[in-house]
Amino acid sequence: MTNKHRIYLIIQQRRAVSLQDLYDITQLDRMQVLKAVSILAIKRKIKAFKDDKGRYFRINDKPL
């Protein structure tokens, strides 16, 4: 299972996940997490949104 798949499944299990939680859960290097998240966001599989506490990610449920 690739890092993209692991992160996608984690976001799918939890409705919204913060970037810090992804670092803690996956125990990967920060750059590996950011690379996987950016690829998923570019492919529009996940959506990023910002709160005053940090950046969160959720599954993009709207089709193109």
Side-chain angles (χ1 to χ4, degrees):
M1 183 179 299
T2 63
N3 294 338
K4 290 185 295 187
H5 293 136
R6 287 178 61 195
I7 290 175
Y8 186 80
L9 290 175
I10 290 169
I11 296 172
Q12 193 174 28
Q13 287 172 353
R14 303 170 176 221
R15 298 295 258 176
V17 182
S18 70
L19 191 57
Q20 186 62 42
D21 287 343
L22 284 176
Y23 294 146
D24 295 338
I25 293 169
T26 58
Q27 296 178 349
L28 294 171
D29 185 37
R30 288 182 181 259
M31 288 306 294
Q32 289 177 332
V33 172
L34 288 174
K35 182 179 178 184
V37 164
S38 65
I39 290 171
L40 289 170
I42 289 170
K43 291 185 178 181
R44 297 186 182 197
K45 300 212 179 226
I46 63 172
K47 188 171 187 176
F49 60 97
K50 191 172 182 180
D51 195 3
D52 37 329
K53 296 181 182 176
R55 185 168 293 275
Y56 292 88
F57 300 96
R58 66 177 172 88
I59 300 294
N60 192 5
D61 52 356
K62 294 181 183 178
L64 293 177

